[in-house]
């Protein structure tokens, strides 16, 4: 396979290549994907390489998501080594695992050497144990040691996220000394860096100089005179905490230090963007009671992730049905109540979800804490009351005219106000309580809120109906 992929290729005419790969929304066009599929079906590796070699790695990763497993296998063979290296970190996890199974370990070892240590570690992490051993054994000692060191840190820690390639200079150097040193590094320079970290004799960061500031300053100026304070990241710090620090202080990069305060790597903003997107994606999925799914997930994996939450929903629905059964006699005498029950359920559930979503977001962005929680709770409670007072006359008047009984209108209007108050209360207190108990508030809040609003909504509505109408 490697011999085929690395074989010299005959020249390809430009008019044979589809240049319009992306539409105005930066999405791969259907026509381009179809050309790739046709070339894969024909086993035309020359055509495939011509189509792919000018694509950005992120677009190649996107393309892999549109292809079937069989077509991905063919495309993987014909990806140029440098493009394969840059594409691997961009792939969805399940697709990357599939691609890695098809790449010979020698080619993979060569490709990983083109990546920064953080990206290389992320790829190696997805390998099976035996394949990982073969790949690492085929890599130079320095690269292998960097990857093994990164994998030694906790999965969601700054140590796993950081890249070990970093530019540092002693504090007694001048601007000229630093520029000359950087120029001498050549290929050993980090692929992407924004700051030169100024370190003391114990290799502890004492400041940083932006590359732009370095280029503006005269050569004779000392680094200590132009360096800026740094926000150090502890190597064992959680990646979500790191993302919060970057977002709060508008950082582009930050040094990572070990337990002794020594500089061991850096984290750059491109990694943080990925973390923020990943955390937001997880929260959205958890709010819906859905596991982490992507385009490569199988039907079995999706079903396995969704069924438990649907089972929980089934249980909570049974509780709501039990409440309704308590008022069976009332419903038999006033059939109109059955027609109005879905309204009570829908409005209460939606209002609870609104309060829940706002609260979970505020907790995630740290806009909500113990100091302002009481004030925020009062605000949500007043909002629930206001919503109820606005909607109650509408539904009450409509129900009274529909069934020609003002008492039915009054009952559902009152139930609407009370249920919206319940929704506001539960929608905020549930994630707050889970957060205080050190649970992820996005995981089970939605199920609990919906169950509670249904339970109390039916209880309030049917209870009031029994008191007023019978």
């Amino acid at each position: 396979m490697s011999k085929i992929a690395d074989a010299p290729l005959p020249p390809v005419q430009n008019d044979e290549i589809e240049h319009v790969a992306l539409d105005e929304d930066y999405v791969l066009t259907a026509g381009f994907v179809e050309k790739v599929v046709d070339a894969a079906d024909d086993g035309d590796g020359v055509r495939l390489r011509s189509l792919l070699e000018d694509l950005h790695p992120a677009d190649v990763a996107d393309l892999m998501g549109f292809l079937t497993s069989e077509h991905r296998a063919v495309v993987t063979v014909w990806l140029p080594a440098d493009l394969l290296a840059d594409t691997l970190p961009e792939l969805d996890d399940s697709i990357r695992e599939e691609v890695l199974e098809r790449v010979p370990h020698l080619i993979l070892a060569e490709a990983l050497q083109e990546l920064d240590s953080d990206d290389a570690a992320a790829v190696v992490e997805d390998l099976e144990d035996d394949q990982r051993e073969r790949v690492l054994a085929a890599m130079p000692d320095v690269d292998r040691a960097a990857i093994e060191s990164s994998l030694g840190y906790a999965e969601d820690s700054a140590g796993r996220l950081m890249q070990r390639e970093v530019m540092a200079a002693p504090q007694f150097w001048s601007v000229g000394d630093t520029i000359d040193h950087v120029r001498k590094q050549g290929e050993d320079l980090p692929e992407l860096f924004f700051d030169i970290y100024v370190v003391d004799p114990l290799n502890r960061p004492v400041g940083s100089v932006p590359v732009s500031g370095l280029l503006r300053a005269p050569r004779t100026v000392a680094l200590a005179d132009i360096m800026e304070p740094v926000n150090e990241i502890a190597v064992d710090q959680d990646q979500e905490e790191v993302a919060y620090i970057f977002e709060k202080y508008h950082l582009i990069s930050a040094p990572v230090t070990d337990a002794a305060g020594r500089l061991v790597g850096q984290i750059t903003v491109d990694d943080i963007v990925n973390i923020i997107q990943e955390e937001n994606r997880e929260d959205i999925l958890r709010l819906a009671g859905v596991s982490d799914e992507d385009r490569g997930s199988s039907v079995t994996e999706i079903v396995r992730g969704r069924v438990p939450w649907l089972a929980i929903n089934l249980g909570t629905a049974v509780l709501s049905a039990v409440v309704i059964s308590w008022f069976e006699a009332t419903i038999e005498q006033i059939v109109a109540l059955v027609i109005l029950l879905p309204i009570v359920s829908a409005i209460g559930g939606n209002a609870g979800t609104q309060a829940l979503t706002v609260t979970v977001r505020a907790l995630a962005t740290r806009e909500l804490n113990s100091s302002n929680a009481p004030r925020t709770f009062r605000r949500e409670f007043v909002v629930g009351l206001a919503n109820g007072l606005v909607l109650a006359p509408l539904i009450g008047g409509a129900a009274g005219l529909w069934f020609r009984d003002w008492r039915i209108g009054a009952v559902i209007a009152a139930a609407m106000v009370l249920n919206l108050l319940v929704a506001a209360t539960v929608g905020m207190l549930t994630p707050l309580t889970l957060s205080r108990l050190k649970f992820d508030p996005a995981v089970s809040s939605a199920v609990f809120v919906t169950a509670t609003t249904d339970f109390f909504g039916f209880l309030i509505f049917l209870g009031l109906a029994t008191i007023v109408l019978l």
Side-chain angles (χ1 to χ4, degrees):
M1 182 161 55
S2 61
K3 293 181 179 179
I4 298 176
D6 294 332
L9 302 174
V12 180
Q13 299 299 321
N14 289 335
D15 57 0
E16 294 180 3
I17 302 176
E18 174 60 76
H19 292 289
V20 184
L22 304 176
D23 62 19
E24 63 276 6
D25 296 320
Y26 299 97
V27 177
L28 291 169
T29 63
F32 181 83
V33 175
E34 185 177 350
K35 289 181 179 294
V36 172
V37 170
D38 290 342
D41 286 336
D42 296 338
D44 190 345
V46 175
R47 175 68 167 159
L48 276 175
R49 185 170 287 191
S50 299
L51 289 166
L52 300 175
E53 61 185 358
D54 292 329
L55 284 183
H56 189 279
D59 293 320
V60 177
D62 200 23
L63 172 66
M64 290 293 204
F66 290 120
L67 301 178
T68 64
S69 178
E70 292 75 14
H71 291 135
R72 280 197 290 267
V74 179
V75 170
T76 299
V77 174
W78 288 97
L79 277 178
D82 55 342
L83 182 56
L84 172 64
D86 293 332
T87 300
L88 287 173
E90 305 286 345
L91 293 170
D92 291 338
D93 290 344
S94 59
I95 295 178
R96 182 163 62 202
E97 292 175 7
E98 178 186 319
V99 169
L100 290 174
E101 292 176 357
R102 302 181 182 279
V103 181
H105 70 279
L106 292 178
I107 293 179
L108 184 55
E110 180 182 353
L112 291 177
Q113 296 174 48
E114 304 296 325
L115 299 176
D116 288 331
S117 56
D118 57 331
D119 291 331
V123 174
V124 171
E125 181 184 11
D126 287 339
L127 298 175
E128 297 293 336
D129 291 342
D130 56 341
Q131 187 183 16
R132 181 184 305 172
E133 292 178 3
R134 292 197 304 271
V135 170
L136 289 177
M139 297 182 69
D141 293 342
V142 174
D143 294 325
R144 180 173 68 251
I147 293 175
E148 290 176 340
S149 177
S150 295
L151 294 176
Y153 296 108
E155 183 175 356
D156 294 329
S157 67
R160 184 68 71 90
L161 184 63
M162 73 177 182
Q163 63 179 71
R164 303 185 69 86
E165 298 82 8
V166 61
M167 288 304 303
Q171 57 191 127
F172 59 83
W173 273 11
S174 68
V175 168
D177 295 332
T178 307
I179 291 177
D180 293 340
H181 174 72
V182 170
R183 287 174 175 169
K184 290 178 182 178
Q185 299 308 302
E187 295 183 356
D188 293 331
L189 277 174
E191 182 177 350
L192 182 67
F193 68 102
F194 305 97
D195 296 289
I196 308 294
Y197 298 115
V198 183
V199 297
D200 65 11
L202 296 178
N203 201 39
R204 296 177 302 195
V206 295
S208 67
V209 178
V211 173
S212 57
L214 191 73
L215 296 177
R216 290 192 184 99
R219 290 181 57 87
T220 56
V221 173
L223 292 181
D225 294 335
I226 61 173
M227 68 181 184
E228 302 173 354
V230 291
N231 294 89
E232 296 180 21
I233 304 295
V235 73
D236 57 352
Q237 206 158 1
D238 185 85
Q239 65 179 18
E240 194 169 350
E241 180 80 15
V242 175
Y244 173 74
I245 294 173
F246 265 73
E247 187 175 6
K248 181 176 182 179
Y249 296 108
H250 309 290
L251 302 181
I252 297 178
S253 66
V256 181
T257 57
D258 62 14
R262 295 181 298 250
L263 179 68
V264 292
Q266 68 170 341
I267 294 176
T268 53
V269 69
D270 58 316
D271 298 313
I272 296 303
V273 170
N274 293 335
I275 295 302
I276 292 175
Q277 290 179 337
E278 179 183 331
E279 295 292 341
N280 289 340
R281 179 180 178 225
E282 288 179 358
D283 286 345
I284 291 173
L285 291 173
R286 287 171 176 172
L287 278 172
V290 179
S291 62
D292 193 9
E293 300 171 5
D294 55 41
R295 290 176 293 187
S297 299
S298 66
V299 173
T300 302
E301 293 171 336
I302 294 174
V303 171
R304 189 184 299 121
R306 296 186 186 184
V307 163
W309 292 103
L310 292 176
I312 294 173
N313 284 331
L314 179 60
T316 58
V318 170
L319 288 177
S320 299
V322 170
V323 173
I324 295 174
S325 70
W326 294 344
F327 300 93
E328 185 176 352
T330 303
I331 295 174
E332 287 179 353
Q333 296 183 52
I334 309 172
V335 180
L337 299 178
V338 177
I339 300 174
L340 298 176
L341 281 177
I343 298 176
V344 176
S345 173
I347 296 299
N350 286 335
T353 301
Q354 288 176 342
L356 167 66
T357 303
V358 170
T359 304
V360 169
R361 177 191 173 277
L363 286 171
T365 58
R366 309 194 184 189
E367 297 174 3
L368 180 61
N369 52 43
S370 57
S371 63
N372 65 350
R375 184 173 69 254
T376 306
F377 174 75
R378 288 193 296 270
R379 184 189 66 185
E380 285 297 324
F381 191 84
V382 172
V383 168
L385 177 61
N387 287 338
L389 294 177
V390 169
L391 297 176
L394 299 178
I395 186 60
L401 292 174
W402 188 358
F403 300 105
R404 299 180 183 179
D405 189 338
W406 65 268
R407 295 180 303 166
I408 292 180
V411 166
I412 193 170
M416 180 73 68
V417 174
L418 293 175
N419 197 26
L420 287 176
L421 291 177
V422 170
T425 301
V426 176
M428 182 170 180
L429 290 184
T430 299
L432 275 175
T433 302
L434 290 173
S435 179
R436 180 65 62 89
L437 296 175
K438 305 302 181 183
F439 292 107
D440 188 342
V443 173
S444 56
S445 295
V447 174
F448 185 82
V449 168
T450 303
T452 305
T453 54
D454 283 351
F455 183 91
F456 283 100
F458 295 150
L459 182 62
I460 292 169
F461 177 54
L462 295 175
L464 287 175
T466 301
I467 295 172
V468 175
L469 301 177
L470 295 184

